Amino acid sequence: MTITRRAALGAALAAPALLPGLARAQGWSPSRPIRIVVGFPPAGTTDIAARLLAEPLGRRLGTQVVVENRPGAGGNIGNDVVAKSEPDGHTLLMQTISGGAINYALYGARMPVKPEDLAAVGLMLRVPNAIFVNPQVPARTLAELVALAKARPGTLNHGSSGAGTSLHMTGELLKLEAGIDMTHVPFRGAGPMMQEIIAGRVEVGVDNLPSVIGHLRDGRLRPLAVTTKERTPAMPEVPTTAEAGFPGVEATAWFGVQAPARTPAPIIRRISDELNALIREPEMQRRLADLGGMPPNLTPDGGTSPESFDAFVKAEITKWAEVVQRSGARVE
């Protein structure tokens, strides 16, 4: 990463050493190890984010923080585990755009939790989604992929790490925007999906940039576009979907921390303030930027808070309900 990129990310997260509210929240301390529940298998971006957070958060809170993978149903199993846990600060959820927003519309009455069953702690980072293909696919641009799909309707498969994820919905948006027919193949996580695309058994993939960036950089997969408004400094040569001619295919994945509802406010505030301080540390900024991560930018100083994250999640639920309705996406 260049010095300019580091400086830009650092400026976005610059803040005084003592964050607002930290002093009044310091009265609570954990009495045993904390677990961060991840609703997806290891190796995906949700797991990567949780493991980046665990050790330094534990250091700041004075206890061990462990990651527990509880995959299934697009993150819903993890949601349910945390919603039913004791609201005492010792169980947290690494929440995603899928489990925290998209699934409420996609699963409807089958959704095991309601938004009010989980309490906002803070947003950790936002990342682009990447659209990519196996290098044997004769498409070097997104426009060429669309042309190929139109020439071979219904024969191309597009993989995602699960139904209801932003990756699934990005594929649906592309089909809607481009007027093409591809078959969605959901996997139980990014790792299994990547194996099938690299092997050539699935032609097209959509994934959060952090979990696929290594494969894109070493040529095992070919990037066609990223789904954010601006190009990512992590792979500046890859165009955006808007630049490729499909401005309606826009999706920024996000990863944040939630806790069981009824967790006392001082506990929420303490964990949120430590998270907010942690994402401002230069080493964490460097690691997130190298993965294509962007800062929360929910508060005026570029950070996060329980209140701002709560408002953000509510807006995302509304936004993605409209997308689900437009696309006609469903889960079996």
Side-chain angles (χ1 to χ4, degrees), residues 25-93:
Q26 284 179 331
W28 177 81
S29 294
S31 59
R32 61 182 186 276
I34 292 173
R35 63 172 176 160
I36 300 178
V37 175
V38 171
F40 296 88
T45 303
T46 316
D47 184 70
I48 292 171
R51 293 181 191 280
L52 278 176
L53 179 62
E55 190 278 328
L57 181 63
R59 172 168 36 84
R60 299 188 69 93
L61 290 172
T63 191
Q64 182 184 17
V65 177
V66 297
V67 174
E68 180 179 319
N69 297 88
R70 299 293 294 270
N76 286 350
I77 291 177
N79 282 9
D80 194 39
V81 167
V82 173
K84 292 175 178 175
S85 297
E86 287 296 318
D88 59 5
H90 293 89
T91 299
L92 302 173
L93 174 69

Side-chain angles (χ1 to χ4, degrees), residues 234-256:
M235 296 197 76
E237 73 281 6
V238 180
T240 67
T241 45
E243 290 174 323
F246 305 96
V249 186
E250 182 187 330
T252 301
W254 51 263
F255 302 86

Side-chain angles (χ1 to χ4, degrees), residues 181-203:
D181 179 18
M182 295 192 297
T183 301
H184 175 231
V185 182
F187 290 89
R188 290 178 61 85
M193 174 189 68
M194 225 77 70
Q195 291 173 6
E196 292 300 293
I197 297 178
I198 290 172
R201 289 184 284 270
V202 173
E203 295 86 0

